[in-house]
Amino acid sequence: MAISRRTLVTSALWGAALGAVSTAEVLQTPTRPAAAASPPGDVVGKITVGYQGWFACAGDGAPIGGWWHWSANWSQLPSPSNTAIVAWPDVRDFTRTYPTGYANFGNGQPATLFSSYDQQTVDTHFQWMQQHGCDTAALQRFNPYSSEGPTRDAMAAKVRAAAESLGRKYYIMYDVTGWTSMQSEIKTDWANKMSAHTASPAYARQNGKPVVGIWGFGFNDDNHPWSPAACLDVVNWFKSQGCYVMGGVPTYWRTGVNDSRPGYLDVYHAFNMISPWMVGRIGDAAGSDWFYTNVNTGDQADCTANGIDYQPCVLPGDVSARQRAHGDFMWRQFYNMVRLGAQGIYISMFDEFNEGNQIAKTAETQAMVPANSGLLALDEDGTPCSSDYYLRLSADGGRMLKGQLALTPVRPTPPLLTGNGPTDLARGKPTAESGHTQALASANAVDGDPNSYWESPNNAFPQWWQVDLGTTATISRLVLRLPPATAWAARTQTLSILGSGDGATFTTIVGPADYRFDPATGNTVTVTLPTTTTRYVRLNFTTNTGWPAGQLSQVEVYGTSSGGDTQAPTTPGNLTATGHTSTSVSLAWSASTDNVGVAGYQVRQSGAVVATTSATSYTVSGLNPGTAYTFTVTAQDAAGNVSPASNAVTQTTDPAANTNLARGKPTSESGHNQVYESGKAVDGDANTYWESVNSAFPQWWQVDLGSATGISRLVMKLPPPSAWATRTETLSILGSTDGSAFDTIVGSTGYTFNPATGNTVTVTFANTIVRYVRLNVTANSGWPAGQLSEVEIYSA
């Protein structure tokens, strides 16, 4: 599918009427906060992000079984001629990605994509939400009675796990687009499946009720054909089940024109919350201003009059259409919706790479985009932007919504974080402490990992923790965190904040005060400081109601650097993996330079510092066998300035013995009969199987192990039932490191499969380094085709 089902044709654009209202007049429009129909909850007063979770890759184990939403033809590799996306994701934070048919990036790295079906992907997405103030995720659920149903069921479970572990909220949002039997089936699906999720402590609630979203009632197109009576029946049914019902409605819902069918106002007024769709309606700040005056203001008034919570959309803009204006477009929407007094904000969307309206980390430059793909990066208008820029922009928009940031039409978020901007001055800097317990040292509080932490010696207050910012800075804000998991129950720590210019003499910045850390608010505390010039920041702890020690998972210090060495070293170059075992990866890189001098290098695994060294090589040990790890390296000088990260290197450790290297990996074939395609031979199910084109020998089956590795044993199976009578298949085993040139590992041999011995054949051979394994089948005494239910490949 080349475009999202959310892409609708707008029958009337804002621009036709824009001439009647000038931008100056819009800015002068008097406003006052609207009265909220509901008190703050998990959607009122919060930032909600639409979460598709609909990307799959061949070999990831997803029931959908293909390149779901990455390519137009899901059975084929994504490529410039087979694509469904208009923007390229930044995949550096994921531990597992999948090769595509795109050319390498501009920087020479392979073009790989993530799968939403991998739990680590969902965990990473929710970690980004946690780090950037995205309170709630609306998990999109299309017709679950289609072929997508099993995958969407699994995605709901994965989102639940991520939300619970990372302290975020989520709810089910039904998108009824194209769902023919929606009126009855949506009720059955909720009653039999999705309502079970409301037992999760992470499931979003508003006014004490579980939140359910329904997107698509009243849209004026053939994919949304239901009568007002049918739609009203569904809304009222969910309300009778005790739900708070959010409606994703047409832009012109209130007036029943353009994208809205007339006669649906009673349906819209039945919702507890209304969120009109805006994608495709505006493309610049002037469009947002026009809608603010001519549409949003009336919407808010109608909702207020009818006791409905109003949750307008804010979108970052389509990268491919060059709408983003390096964040100015999105910020104008935040400003307009906050000054309107909206009860919440819905960001469209978190991971919508199909429409290009994603806030998730995105390619920064052409160096992170496949060459000759035609895709644009975030710097398309000439302004460099970090890959997380729209996450950071969303965080500031959320703070403005919640009154933590003054209402301002001027975007406060810089596209790039620099040493002299609003960045975390403590990240990766040297630390000190009064002491720590076990391995919970002070550096854990500046490593960027919310789950690692410092813990002082137990039962020995007072204790202190300290960071050296590397140079004198003027600071104004501290953010203190504990791990976001709900297992870290609410607690209050009493501490004071001190500063020093020399690390010897300290003065009090903020005296002793109680700070409550609550998992309901991300276990995060923000402390606004009187403007202070300091180099060293120390926290003195005297009590903790949750544990008899000082505890911190992250300390973030915000302000501006002043004086001293503020120039970071150059980026380490040419990071390569020079070797690997089942538990280690050896790395090497070229040296950085600095105006003063490079003090050392930080080896980072998925962004987190795992080692420091003064050399230009390092071996990371203690890893898991058969696991892909992504590494980068940064350089640091004596003042604590940290360079940009090097190129990323992903290396898979050698497998442990008896690990099936082929399970779930990408496959290919000469062809298949009916539905018996090649992926069934690596799905772990002995009863599914690949069957080649009939009566057309020779035929071949192939698996890509993901990286070159040593193999010496291959197990082939046919389904075990006795109905699969004894047969002999004649085949050869070939190997390749590049998928192009193949060498023979084992020559053509007849292998007998007998149900009396489980229809299993084991072949051993000399250790051979390969990435691709191909089986060439030339005969089968039981059926005129190649047949395999499982192919297992082992290193020993």
Side-chain angles (χ1 to χ4, degrees), residues 24 59 138 164 218 225 451 505 593 650 713:
E164 289 176 350
N451 297 299
T505 303
T593 59
T650 300
R713 179 163 57 98

Side-chain angles (χ1 to χ4, degrees), residues 236-562:
N236 286 334
W237 183 85
F238 274 100
K239 291 170 77 172
S240 75
Q241 303 301 301
C243 297
Y244 174 97
V245 188
M246 173 271 191
V249 300
T251 311
Y252 294 93
W253 64 276
R254 179 170 45 86
T255 51
V257 298
N258 298 335
D259 64 346
S260 176
R261 299 176 186 270
Y264 281 73
L265 193 58
D266 287 345
V267 177
Y268 303 142
H269 282 164
F271 287 115
N272 299 111
M273 170 176 273
I274 282 180
S275 185
W277 191 239
M278 286 300 294
V279 174
R281 304 332 191 233
I282 56 175
D284 57 26
S288 176
D289 287 347
W290 188 90
F291 266 91
Y292 168 80
T293 298
N294 294 281
V295 178
N296 303 128
T297 300
D299 283 358
Q300 180 66 80
D302 185 285
C303 286
T304 300
N306 288 280
I308 300 168
D309 298 315
Y310 187 49
Q311 185 196 52
C313 283
V314 165
L315 51 144
D318 179 0
V319 175
S320 65
R322 301 181 184 271
Q323 294 175 340
R324 296 201 170 196
H326 50 272
D328 287 345
F329 173 48
M330 188 178 194
W331 189 258
R332 191 67 190 180
Q333 297 168 71
F334 275 128
Y335 170 67
N336 283 337
M337 296 308 101
V338 173
R339 69 181 176 129
L340 180 73
Q343 281 73 67
I345 286 176
Y346 184 93
I347 294 180
S348 318
M349 306 278 286
F350 184 86
D351 55 342
E352 179 55 277
F353 289 93
N354 305 101
E355 291 175 352
N357 272 298
Q358 73 288 339
I359 62 170
K361 293 186 181 183
T362 301
E364 300 169 351
T365 68
Q366 287 300 303
M368 294 174 63
V369 172
N372 302 319
S373 66
L375 298 176
L376 300 177
L378 292 183
D379 65 348
E380 50 80 20
D381 69 349
T383 301
C385 301
S386 65
S387 68
D388 66 350
Y389 175 42
Y390 288 88
L391 291 165
R392 293 188 287 111
L393 198 69
S394 297
D396 283 341
R399 284 192 278 270
M400 190 164 66
L401 171 72
K402 298 166 188 175
Q404 300 166 352
L405 179 70
L407 179 67
T408 174
V410 179
R411 169 178 49 79
T413 319
L416 285 178
L417 288 175
T418 67
N420 293 317
T423 187
D424 175 13
L425 303 177
R427 178 71 174 271
K429 297 298 174 64
T431 59
E433 58 186 20
S434 53
H436 64 268
T437 187
Q438 300 176 29
L440 308 177
S442 59
N444 288 348
V446 294
D447 64 0
D449 182 351
N451 297 299
S452 67
Y453 61 98
W454 166 72
E455 182 174 302
S456 75
N458 290 190
N459 301 299
F461 286 118
Q463 297 288 333
W464 57 267
W465 178 96
Q466 178 178 305
V467 62
D468 175 5
L469 303 180
T471 186
T472 301
T474 300
I475 64 173
S476 58
R477 179 165 57 97
L478 255 63
V479 178
L480 311 179
R481 304 182 191 273
L482 290 179
T486 53
W488 280 75
R491 66 199 64 200
T492 297
Q493 299 195 70
T494 304
L495 59 93
S496 55
I497 304 169
L498 298 87
S500 171
D502 59 8
T505 303
F506 284 82
T507 57
T508 299
I509 300 173
V510 177
D514 293 339
Y515 297 98
R516 180 172 174 78
F517 297 80
D518 191 331
T521 54
N523 267 338
T524 297
V525 168
T526 298
V527 186
T528 300
L529 310 174
T531 301
T532 304
T533 300
T534 188
R535 171 172 172 169
Y536 298 86
V537 177
R538 177 178 289 187
L539 307 181
N540 276 353
F541 292 77
T542 53
T543 64
N544 182 346
T545 62
W547 195 258
Q551 296 173 312
L552 294 165
S553 72
Q554 290 296 290
V555 178
E556 300 167 11
V557 181
Y558 294 93
T560 56
S561 298
S562 56

Side-chain angles (χ1 to χ4, degrees), residues 68-118:
W68 194 32
H69 288 277
W70 286 127
S71 58
N73 181 345
W74 295 351
S75 67
Q76 300 297 321
L77 282 173
S79 68
S81 61
N82 182 38
T83 187
I85 59 174
V86 297
W88 193 269
D90 176 2
V91 300
R92 290 176 294 183
D93 288 355
F94 305 121
T95 59
R96 184 183 185 191
T97 57
Y98 299 79
T100 70
Y102 285 93
N104 286 350
F105 291 166
N107 62 12
Q109 295 180 24
T112 63
L113 291 168
F114 67 80
S115 168
S116 303
Y117 198 75
D118 290 339

